[in-house]
């Protein structure tokens, strides 16, 4: 099975390739252009960017220059986390379409429930307004699906209670060791599809002993174990790499982690990420 083209179905029927290509921290310009061009050339058809990454223009150019028909690519972008008013959000999303040089995105999501510089701030009113702007894009068919990112159960409840559209997606940091069970349970209840960013724990999970033991036992690489684990959880992993060989490696996922190894991986606890 090719997980780059095999799809999940969102609540509104839109199909989304199971494994996406993340572009966080990939510098705008040549780096992002090359990375996305390589990813498309090895078969990725689900590309994830954000206003906040600053690389939308390069991502859009790579998509355009690939010659791949627009409808064969699932493209996501994200509304900047500090924009919490309707007009501002709408203008920022329209600017994204221009930067990406596309008539529509497949998915647009609120990047976070609070500005990154004020994590945890109560922005309930602002999130309702920002999501209203996404609803406008959805009505205008400038976005085929709309959603949120980094939203907790409480943040999701606010949108479900006050907006018209139930978010189609919640993109969260999800990888072996992190407990996202409460958010995932809520998302399943409301048919909000979960996308998993940082499936490799930004790389640090690859040093984990259990992951390495599983890789050895199953004759796979640690990265493949981490990504396959998430597929078996029914979510959409968004691995990222600037290295073409690793892009290929991260897509070779046609194997099964048996229940014993899944249980051992489930028992891993702790967030391995380091920010230095
Ligand atoms: P690089 O871009 O140099 O390949 P995550 O997707 O969890 O955020 O992890 C991304 C990090 O993991 C990047 O630093 C990336 O480095 C690294 N990475 C991605 N794929 C692999 C792989 N198959 N093996 C080792 N490191 C990887």
């Amino acid at each position: 099975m090719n997980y780059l083209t095999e799809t999940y179905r969102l609540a509104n029927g839109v199909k989304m390739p199971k494994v996406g290509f993340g572009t966080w921290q990939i510098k705008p310009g040549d780096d992002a252009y090359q990375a996305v061009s390589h990813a498309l050339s090895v078969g990725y058809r689900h590309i994830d960017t954000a206003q906040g990454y600053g690389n939308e223009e390069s991502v859009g150019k790579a998509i355009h220059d690939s010659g791949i028909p627009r409808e064969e690519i699932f493209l996501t972008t994200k509304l900047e986390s500090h924009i919490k008013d309707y007009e501002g959000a709408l203008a920022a999303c329209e600017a994204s379409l221009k930067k990406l040089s596309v008539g529509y995105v497949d998915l647009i999501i609120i990047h976070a429930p609070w500005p990154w510089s004020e994590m945890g701030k109560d922005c309930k009113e602002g999130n309702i307004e920002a999501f209203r702007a996404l609803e406008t894009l959805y009505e205008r068919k400038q976005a085929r699906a709309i959603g949120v990112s980094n939203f907790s159960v409480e943040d999701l409840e606010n949108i479900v209670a006050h907006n018209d559209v139930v978010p189609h997606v919640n993109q969260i940091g999800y990888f072996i060791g992190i407990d996202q069970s409460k958010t995932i349970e809520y998302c399943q209840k409301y048919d909000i599809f979960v996308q998993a960013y940082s499936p490799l724990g930004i790389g640090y999970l690859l040093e984990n002993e259990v992951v390495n033991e599983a890789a050895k036992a199953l004759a796979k690489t640690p990265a493949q174990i981490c990504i396959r684990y998430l597929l078996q959880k029914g979510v959409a992993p968004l691995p990222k790499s600037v290295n073409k060989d690793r892009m290929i490696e991260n897509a070779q996922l046609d194997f099964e982690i048996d229940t014993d190894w899944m249980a051992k991986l489930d028992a891993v606890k702790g967030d391995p990420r380091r920010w230095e």
Side-chain angles (χ1 to χ4, degrees):
M1 196 179 290
N2 180 350
Y3 289 93
L4 301 181
T5 48
E6 179 78 16
T7 56
Y8 287 121
R9 243 178 120 84
L10 304 182
N12 64 350
V14 166
K15 290 180 181 164
M16 177 182 76
K18 290 190 170 177
V19 175
F21 181 74
T23 64
W24 177 47
Q25 288 183 327
I26 305 185
K27 286 195 196 93
D30 211 38
D31 283 9
Y33 180 81
Q34 290 300 339
V36 174
S37 301
H38 286 326
L40 292 169
S41 76
V42 303
Y44 286 81
R45 291 294 179 269
H46 173 170
I47 308 291
D48 182 277
T49 181
Q51 293 167 2
Y53 302 168
N55 60 19
E56 284 175 311
E57 272 171 28
S58 319
V59 169
K61 186 164 166 33
I63 289 175
H64 183 262
D65 291 354
S66 72
I68 297 165
R70 172 70 189 89
E71 63 275 13
E72 288 179 22
I73 296 172
F74 186 98
L75 175 62
T76 301
T77 196
K78 310 184 191 84
L79 173 69
E80 288 240 53
S81 64
H82 65 274
I83 304 177
K84 300 292 185 199
D85 66 294
Y86 177 82
E87 293 298 339
L90 199 55
C93 294
E94 282 164 353
S96 271
L97 294 177
K98 282 213 181 79
K99 283 185 190 156
L100 289 161
S101 253
V102 292
Y104 68 91
V105 286
D106 295 277
L107 175 65
I108 188 154
I109 59 188
I110 299 177
H111 207 145
W114 14 251
W116 290 117
S117 54
E118 295 172 276
M119 277 171 87
K121 183 182 175 189
D122 184 347
C123 296
K124 290 215 168 55
E125 284 305 317
N127 285 324
I128 295 167
E129 289 306 301
F131 199 73
R132 264 203 328 112
L134 304 197
E135 288 174 325
T136 298
L137 289 182
Y138 186 54
E139 276 163 28
R140 292 181 185 164
K141 301 198 186 315
Q142 289 174 312
R144 294 176 69 229
I146 55 177
V148 295
S149 181
N150 297 296
F151 271 43
S152 66
V153 170
E154 207 186 327
D155 298 319
L156 290 165
E157 278 171 346
N158 176 47
I159 299 295
V160 169
H162 297 104
N163 288 86
D164 293 332
V165 178
V166 173
H168 301 115
V169 165
N170 187 16
Q171 185 181 124
I172 55 176
Y174 182 27
F175 40 82
I176 293 166
I178 202 166
D179 180 10
Q180 289 284 18
S181 54
K182 282 195 189 122
T183 305
I184 290 172
E185 197 185 316
Y186 184 90
C187 288
Q188 282 168 346
K189 189 168 155 203
Y190 284 91
D191 214 356
I192 300 168
F193 203 89
V194 172
Q195 295 180 330
Y197 72 75
S198 298
L200 313 177
I202 61 171
Y204 293 112
L205 196 51
L206 305 176
E207 298 164 13
N208 180 276
E209 213 178 305
V210 184
V211 169
N212 278 276
E213 281 167 14
K216 210 167 168 195
L218 300 171
K220 298 291 164 193
T221 68
Q224 288 165 339
I225 296 294
C226 294
I227 301 166
R228 175 72 208 179
Y229 172 89
L230 293 166
L231 283 175
Q232 290 184 212
K233 294 288 179 188
V235 305
L238 305 169
K240 60 181 186 293
S241 177
V242 293
N243 176 303
K244 199 170 177 179
D245 291 336
R246 286 178 176 174
M247 292 177 194
I248 296 169
E249 174 190 331
N250 294 350
Q252 289 169 342
L253 302 163
D254 204 6
F255 65 99
E256 193 73 22
I257 303 176
D258 59 47
T259 46
D260 283 355
W261 276 112
M262 282 302 281
K264 285 183 199 161
L265 294 167
D266 282 340
V268 172
K269 300 287 175 231
D271 183 344
R273 292 176 297 178
R274 297 197 293 272
W275 306 105
E276 73 269 10

